[in-house]
Tab-separated table of all heavy atoms in Angstrom:
chain	number	residue	atom	x	y	z
U	1418	ALA	N	16.270	67.129	39.204
U	1418	ALA	CA	16.986	67.185	40.470
U	1418	ALA	C	16.982	68.561	41.126
U	1418	ALA	O	17.602	68.693	42.144
U	1418	ALA	CB	18.515	66.817	40.116
U	1419	SER	N	16.220	69.512	40.530
U	1419	SER	CA	16.124	70.818	41.216
U	1419	SER	C	14.826	70.816	42.020
U	1419	SER	O	13.712	70.650	41.493
U	1419	SER	CB	16.010	71.962	40.184
U	1419	SER	OG	15.461	73.089	40.725
U	1420	GLU	N	14.968	71.006	43.339
U	1420	GLU	CA	13.806	71.122	44.173
U	1420	GLU	C	12.897	72.280	43.776
U	1420	GLU	O	11.607	72.201	43.823
U	1420	GLU	CB	14.242	71.276	45.698
U	1420	GLU	CG	13.052	71.280	46.515
U	1420	GLU	CD	13.432	71.269	48.050
U	1420	GLU	OE1	14.615	71.281	48.362
U	1420	GLU	OE2	12.483	71.301	48.857
U	1421	HIS	N	13.576	73.354	43.384
U	1421	HIS	CA	12.758	74.527	42.977
U	1421	HIS	C	11.912	74.251	41.756
U	1421	HIS	O	10.757	74.533	41.682
U	1421	HIS	CB	13.688	75.717	42.775
U	1421	HIS	CG	14.646	75.964	43.944
U	1421	HIS	ND1	14.180	76.324	45.155
U	1421	HIS	CD2	15.975	75.758	44.080
U	1421	HIS	CE1	15.174	76.460	45.978
U	1421	HIS	NE2	16.305	76.063	45.301
U	1422	HIS	N	12.560	73.592	40.768
U	1422	HIS	CA	11.817	73.309	39.501
U	1422	HIS	C	10.725	72.275	39.826
U	1422	HIS	O	9.532	72.488	39.400
U	1422	HIS	CB	12.806	72.672	38.487
U	1422	HIS	CG	12.188	72.094	37.271
U	1422	HIS	ND1	11.584	72.870	36.312
U	1422	HIS	CD2	12.034	70.827	36.821
U	1422	HIS	CE1	11.051	72.082	35.347
U	1422	HIS	NE2	11.358	70.851	35.698
U	1423	ALA	N	11.009	71.182	40.527
U	1423	ALA	CA	10.029	70.145	40.821
U	1423	ALA	C	8.822	70.763	41.616
U	1423	ALA	O	7.701	70.421	41.367
U	1423	ALA	CB	10.672	68.974	41.584
U	1424	GLY	N	9.146	71.627	42.535
U	1424	GLY	CA	8.114	72.271	43.321
U	1424	GLY	C	7.267	73.162	42.410
U	1424	GLY	O	5.983	73.120	42.495
U	1425	ASN	N	7.907	73.948	41.619
U	1425	ASN	CA	7.141	74.883	40.732
U	1425	ASN	C	6.255	74.105	39.762
U	1425	ASN	O	5.070	74.427	39.566
U	1425	ASN	CB	8.074	75.759	39.922
U	1425	ASN	CG	8.817	76.774	40.792
U	1425	ASN	OD1	8.348	77.151	41.874
U	1425	ASN	ND2	9.975	77.225	40.371
U	1426	VAL	N	6.815	73.061	39.175
U	1426	VAL	CA	6.083	72.277	38.248
U	1426	VAL	C	4.912	71.491	38.885
U	1426	VAL	O	3.789	71.413	38.376
U	1426	VAL	CB	7.066	71.229	37.472
U	1426	VAL	CG1	6.171	70.205	36.661
U	1426	VAL	CG2	7.977	71.996	36.586
U	1427	GLY	N	5.218	70.959	40.081
U	1427	GLY	CA	4.221	70.261	40.854
U	1427	GLY	C	2.981	71.161	41.036
U	1427	GLY	O	1.845	70.782	40.908
U	1428	ARG	N	3.224	72.406	41.478
U	1428	ARG	CA	2.190	73.359	41.699
U	1428	ARG	C	1.363	73.695	40.493
U	1428	ARG	O	0.164	73.828	40.597
U	1428	ARG	CB	2.750	74.640	42.351
U	1428	ARG	CG	2.959	74.605	43.863
U	1428	ARG	CD	3.545	75.911	44.430
U	1428	ARG	NE	4.880	76.166	44.108
U	1428	ARG	CZ	5.914	75.689	44.833
U	1428	ARG	NH1	5.719	75.005	45.883
U	1428	ARG	NH2	7.103	75.947	44.393
U	1429	ILE	N	2.049	73.698	39.351
U	1429	ILE	CA	1.325	74.011	38.081
U	1429	ILE	C	0.563	72.820	37.541
U	1429	ILE	O	-0.603	72.916	37.147
U	1429	ILE	CB	2.331	74.571	37.038
U	1429	ILE	CG1	2.926	75.867	37.497
U	1429	ILE	CG2	1.713	74.673	35.660
U	1429	ILE	CD1	4.129	76.337	36.682
U	1430	PHE	N	1.250	71.602	37.487
U	1430	PHE	CA	0.605	70.393	36.934
U	1430	PHE	C	-0.376	69.719	37.847
U	1430	PHE	O	-1.234	69.022	37.389
U	1430	PHE	CB	1.706	69.461	36.444
U	1430	PHE	CG	2.262	69.651	35.126
U	1430	PHE	CD1	2.172	70.889	34.454
U	1430	PHE	CD2	2.836	68.581	34.301
U	1430	PHE	CE1	2.653	71.055	33.140
U	1430	PHE	CE2	3.334	68.816	33.070
U	1430	PHE	CZ	3.231	70.048	32.447
U	1431	ARG	N	-0.064	69.863	39.148
U	1431	ARG	CA	-0.935	69.057	40.119
U	1431	ARG	C	-1.374	70.027	41.189
U	1431	ARG	O	-0.983	69.880	42.376
U	1431	ARG	CB	-0.176	67.911	40.726
U	1431	ARG	CG	0.193	66.792	39.703
U	1431	ARG	CD	1.093	65.713	40.331
U	1431	ARG	NE	2.409	66.173	40.703
U	1431	ARG	CZ	3.382	66.315	39.875
U	1431	ARG	NH1	3.255	65.970	38.598
U	1431	ARG	NH2	4.581	66.730	40.277
U	1432	PRO	N	-2.154	71.062	40.844
U	1432	PRO	CA	-2.522	72.122	41.765
U	1432	PRO	C	-3.271	71.660	43.078
U	1432	PRO	O	-3.221	72.297	44.090
U	1432	PRO	CB	-3.373	73.107	40.967
U	1432	PRO	CG	-3.820	72.303	39.795
U	1432	PRO	CD	-2.800	71.300	39.554
U	1433	ASP	N	-3.923	70.498	42.908
U	1433	ASP	CA	-4.728	70.020	44.047
U	1433	ASP	C	-3.957	69.111	44.993
U	1433	ASP	O	-4.446	68.693	46.041
U	1433	ASP	CB	-5.952	69.216	43.538
U	1433	ASP	CG	-6.814	70.120	42.623
U	1433	ASP	OD1	-6.811	71.342	42.812
U	1433	ASP	OD2	-7.383	69.518	41.673
U	1434	ALA	N	-2.701	68.816	44.691
U	1434	ALA	CA	-1.913	67.871	45.491
U	1434	ALA	C	-1.499	68.646	46.796
U	1434	ALA	O	-1.197	69.864	46.741
U	1434	ALA	CB	-0.671	67.349	44.765
U	1435	PRO	N	-1.525	67.971	47.934
U	1435	PRO	CA	-1.124	68.620	49.197
U	1435	PRO	C	0.303	69.131	49.185
U	1435	PRO	O	0.527	70.121	49.811
U	1435	PRO	CB	-1.373	67.564	50.248
U	1435	PRO	CG	-1.422	66.244	49.526
U	1435	PRO	CD	-1.915	66.582	48.100
U	1436	ASP	N	1.190	68.349	48.556
U	1436	ASP	CA	2.634	68.773	48.512
U	1436	ASP	C	3.019	68.781	47.066
U	1436	ASP	O	2.733	67.811	46.321
U	1436	ASP	CB	3.419	67.664	49.270
U	1436	ASP	CG	4.883	67.978	49.384
U	1436	ASP	OD1	5.353	68.873	48.665
U	1436	ASP	OD2	5.527	67.399	50.289
U	1437	PRO	N	3.711	69.847	46.620
U	1437	PRO	CA	4.071	69.861	45.166
U	1437	PRO	C	5.138	68.762	44.790
U	1437	PRO	O	5.193	68.398	43.727
U	1437	PRO	CB	4.647	71.253	44.977
U	1437	PRO	CG	5.022	71.745	46.387
U	1437	PRO	CD	4.022	71.059	47.316
U	1438	LEU	N	5.866	68.332	45.821
U	1438	LEU	CA	6.864	67.258	45.553
U	1438	LEU	C	6.116	65.894	45.860
U	1438	LEU	O	5.425	65.808	46.834
U	1438	LEU	CB	8.039	67.356	46.457
U	1438	LEU	CG	8.902	68.643	46.345
U	1438	LEU	CD1	10.110	68.507	47.230
U	1438	LEU	CD2	9.457	68.721	44.866
U	1439	THR	N	6.434	64.927	44.972
U	1439	THR	CA	5.906	63.578	45.279
U	1439	THR	C	6.657	63.052	46.445
U	1439	THR	O	7.746	63.503	46.803
U	1439	THR	CB	5.986	62.671	44.057
U	1439	THR	OG1	7.326	62.742	43.568
U	1439	THR	CG2	5.028	63.136	42.952
U	1440	PRO	N	6.063	62.040	47.207
U	1440	PRO	CA	6.644	61.525	48.398
U	1440	PRO	C	8.078	60.987	48.232
U	1440	PRO	O	8.871	60.907	49.239
U	1440	PRO	CB	5.713	60.434	48.891
U	1440	PRO	CG	4.448	60.686	48.202
U	1440	PRO	CD	4.734	61.438	46.938
U	1441	ASN	N	8.351	60.554	47.018
U	1441	ASN	CA	9.688	59.899	46.814
U	1441	ASN	C	10.807	60.933	46.565
U	1441	ASN	O	12.028	60.598	46.625
U	1441	ASN	CB	9.675	58.951	45.602
U	1441	ASN	CG	8.992	59.562	44.432
U	1441	ASN	OD1	8.737	60.770	44.297
U	1441	ASN	ND2	8.640	58.725	43.421
U	1442	TRP	N	10.404	62.182	46.294
U	1442	TRP	CA	11.392	63.174	45.709
U	1442	TRP	C	12.655	63.312	46.515
U	1442	TRP	O	13.767	63.440	45.984
U	1442	TRP	CB	10.683	64.513	45.472
U	1442	TRP	CG	11.401	65.260	44.387
U	1442	TRP	CD1	11.112	65.249	43.048
U	1442	TRP	CD2	12.532	66.093	44.535
U	1442	TRP	NE1	12.021	66.084	42.371
U	1442	TRP	CE2	12.929	66.677	43.289
U	1442	TRP	CE3	13.297	66.516	45.635
U	1442	TRP	CZ2	14.008	67.485	43.137
U	1442	TRP	CZ3	14.399	67.344	45.485
U	1442	TRP	CH2	14.699	67.817	44.206
Side-chain angles (χ1 to χ4, degrees):
Chain U
S1419 159
E1420 180 175 3
H1421 309 292
H1422 172 70
N1425 292 335
V1426 169
R1428 277 182 286 274
I1429 294 167
F1430 272 25
R1431 294 177 293 277
D1433 303 328
D1436 186 340
L1438 296 183
T1439 50
N1441 51 10
W1442 203 94

